[in-house]
Amino acid sequence: MADVVTDERPLTLEDLVRWFEAGEKPASAWRVGAEHEKFVFRLGIAEPIPYDGPAGIQALLNGLTRFGWKGVYEGDNIIALERGMANVSLEPGGQFELSGAPLETMHEICEETGQHLTEVKTVADELGLGFLGLGFTPIWRRDEIPVMPKGRYKIMREYMPKVGKLGLDMMFRTCTVQANLDFGSEADMVAKFRASLALQPIATALFANSPFIEGKPSGFLSARANVWTDTDPDRTGMLDFVFADGFGYETYANYALDVPMYFAKRDGKYVDLAGRSFRKFMAGELAELPGDRPSLKDWADHTTTAFPEVRLKQYLEMRGADSGPWSRLCALPALWAGIFYDQAALAAAWDLCKDWQVEDHERLRADVARLGLKAQVNGRSVQDVAKDMVAIAKQGLKNRNRLSAGMVDESGYLAELEDIADSGITPAERLLELYHGPWKGDVRRVFEDFAY
């Protein structure tokens, strides 16, 4: 990505808008990027893993280099891995994340996911480590979780308590599965943003998989989703303006400009700019960086510090789902690809939610965290909407597979979501059944029965 030579020509709003516009791709070039996070724990005792030590997160990262991954360093610390267009990174509490390459088919995505999990399991077995896919850590207190040595996270850790009660829980105790998808034009981006943002709580319900906090049922089916309701109102939520007339790249750019900054990266180090204005940065008016102005790389970094339920960068990020078992990691990208990459499916998905009021969106987001598929919206149960949504996605995948020569049917990746929607029982409720039944109130059993 080319940086603007900022001492010759400061960035303008038009530059920021053009940065989003540069993400446009013809339909033939549309791809899907899948991401998932997982908790790393010590086998046998289910403890979180520190960065250092002979069997720590650092050793896990170094061990993966045998598979062709190249280390990414912050100072002397390896903090990520790169291989081709994929990377492995660390969340603040050591949650281990795969950000996959942009791929064309769900089969490729599932193969990539499987290869990654096979590789990390090979190294983890040698170190006595395991992985757990849940939306919220089921037993660990926040103060038990080691801190990863990343400058960005130090800044966030100090700022979060100033703006919300649960931001540190978001950083240290949650895991998600996400999908990144392309758009062809501003109008296409708007249509996809609106439908996916309105329906994001439906995905939250389908993937709800975090009913426990510190060893007990929390009252939430997605404790992860609840955390986001009190993290930082300046950078989270359902973005009412997306549904307003005239929404487009410029509207989102102005929103992102008003999101308080966290940092700028200079000479390989993070400068703490928490709470500062990117607009003042563009004017060269930040006391911490006197006379310095941002580049497009700074803008790209800044867009990653907004955390709405759907996020615009040079693609759209679906951010509403709890992490889960291997089988559901492939279902999330399949769900959204089925809706986004077939015009009839996108139109049908919008028909599901186009009559919802703006106030319905935030209320639904909060309700599904507690009630899952039993929540209600606009006179319908979330279960009924979810059944329709999954059916639309399934047909969308079939349609795109018919139009693409040689593409094998991808709709099978939605089978688990069909079962969840048809039953009306979320994964979290299945876990609660085990807790109240065979587990006899012992949440630690999840580390035995659901580990990768």
Side-chain angles (χ1 to χ4, degrees):
M1 181 189 305
D3 285 3
V4 168
V5 182
T6 52
D7 55 352
E8 293 183 4
R9 186 179 72 78
L11 285 180
T12 65
L13 177 61
E14 186 178 350
D15 293 321
L16 310 185
V17 169
R18 279 204 301 263
W19 182 82
F20 290 117
E21 191 176 59
E24 295 176 358
K25 296 179 178 67
S28 60
W30 288 350
R31 299 292 183 265
V32 181
E35 304 181 16
H36 79 269
E37 300 163 358
K38 49 210 167 286
F39 297 108
V40 191
F41 66 94
R42 186 83 58 212
L43 290 173
I45 53 177
E47 289 182 349
I49 307 302
Y51 178 79
D52 294 313
I57 296 293
Q58 183 182 43
L60 182 56
L61 287 169
N62 281 321
L64 285 168
T65 59
R66 75 184 71 168
F67 298 109
W69 292 94
K70 305 297 183 186
V72 177
Y73 291 83
E74 193 170 307
D76 294 330
N77 295 317
I78 185 170
I79 49 94
L81 300 166
E82 295 177 342
R83 186 174 67 192
M85 297 185 72
N87 65 76
V88 171
S89 59
L90 302 178
E91 291 299 300
Q95 304 98 311
F96 219 67
E97 178 177 9
L98 171 69
S99 296
L103 298 171
E104 185 174 7
T105 73
M106 298 307 106
H107 310 299
E108 292 171 317
I109 287 172
C110 224
E111 182 179 349
E112 175 193 56
T113 301
Q115 180 182 358
H116 166 73
L117 292 176
T118 299
E119 290 173 356
V120 296
K121 184 165 173 37
T122 298
V123 180
D125 283 350
E126 297 167 3
L127 300 174
L129 307 178
F131 300 95
L132 183 67
L134 255 65
F136 196 98
T137 174
I139 61 172
W140 303 333
R141 299 190 314 272
R142 191 195 300 164
D143 61 8
E144 293 179 296
I145 299 174
V147 177
M148 298 298 108
K150 295 179 67 170
R152 171 181 178 142
Y153 294 153
K154 180 178 186 296
I155 293 166
M156 291 174 63
R157 192 170 72 247
E158 293 171 354
Y159 181 73
M160 284 289 182
K162 301 175 183 178
V163 291
K165 295 177 182 176
L166 300 177
L168 292 178
D169 282 331
M170 179 277 290
M171 291 179 66
F172 288 96
R173 297 207 284 181
T174 66
C175 280
T176 185
V177 54
Q178 298 181 187
N180 307 320
L181 299 105
D182 291 317
F183 47 84
S185 65
E186 185 169 37
D188 186 47
M189 180 279 291
V190 171
K192 288 171 174 172
F193 205 148
R194 286 174 173 162
S196 62
L197 186 57
L199 292 171
Q200 208 62 215
I202 311 302
T204 299
L206 282 166
F207 285 83
N209 191 41
S210 49
F212 307 118
I213 296 179
E214 296 178 15
K216 298 176 182 177
S218 65
F220 296 98
L221 298 178
S222 177
R224 183 206 59 82
N226 179 63
V227 157
W228 281 109
T229 66
D230 195 359
T231 288
D232 181 346
D234 290 326
R235 67 186 78 238
T236 62
M238 294 294 284
L239 306 186
D240 294 351
F241 62 81
V242 170
F243 303 97
D245 290 344
F247 171 67
Y249 297 133
E250 185 171 338
T251 323
Y252 193 89
N254 276 307
Y255 156 74
L257 279 170
D258 289 331
V259 169
M261 294 182 69
Y262 283 149
F263 62 83
K265 202 169 184 182
R266 293 292 181 268
D267 300 320
K269 296 182 179 178
Y270 289 92
V271 179
D272 187 346
L273 300 174
R276 305 298 184 267
S277 163
F278 201 93
R279 295 181 190 275
K280 289 190 174 181
F281 191 15
M282 289 172 66
E285 296 174 357
L286 294 186
E288 295 85 351
L289 292 171
D292 195 346
R293 298 175 191 266
S295 68
L296 278 179
K297 178 63 168 67
D298 292 316
W299 174 244
D301 286 344
H302 181 62
T303 64
T304 70
T305 68
F307 305 127
E309 292 295 286
V310 173
R311 178 163 67 187
L312 177 64
K313 295 199 287 191
Q314 289 182 323
Y315 44 83
L316 285 163
E317 292 184 347
M318 307 296 105
R319 298 174 48 82
D322 284 4
S323 192
W326 190 325
S327 56
R328 277 203 304 280
L329 298 180
C330 302
L332 192 277
L335 178 70
W336 291 113
I339 289 170
F340 271 28
Y341 290 169
D342 176 68
Q343 286 301 309
L346 182 59
W350 178 237
D351 281 343
L352 286 179
C353 55
K354 66 183 181 183
D355 295 328
W356 299 355
Q357 301 301 305
V358 164
E359 54 268 24
D360 290 333
H361 297 148
E362 203 66 57
R363 181 171 61 246
L364 181 61
R365 176 186 177 224
D367 286 351
V368 295
R370 284 190 181 275
L371 301 173
L373 295 166
K374 295 178 179 63
Q376 300 275 326
V377 58
N378 197 36
R380 298 190 73 197
S381 71
V382 167
Q383 180 187 1
D384 284 342
V385 179
K387 286 195 281 190
D388 287 347
M389 182 181 176
V390 175
I392 289 166
K394 184 174 183 178
Q395 188 60 51
L397 290 175
K398 288 181 176 294
N399 290 348
R400 93 175 190 123
N401 295 160
R402 277 199 297 269
L403 292 172
S404 300
M407 189 182 290
V408 179
D409 183 12
E410 304 164 300
S411 62
Y413 294 109
L414 296 175
E416 193 166 347
L417 297 187
E418 288 183 286
D419 290 344
I420 292 167
D422 288 345
S423 72
I425 302 172
T426 62
E429 288 163 297
R430 299 290 188 199
L431 290 173
L432 289 167
E433 288 172 3
L434 291 168
Y435 172 83
H436 291 295
W439 291 356
K440 298 179 180 178
D442 182 7
V443 172
R444 288 179 175 271
R445 285 285 301 277
V446 75
F447 290 93
E448 300 171 26
D449 294 1
F450 285 88
Y452 292 153

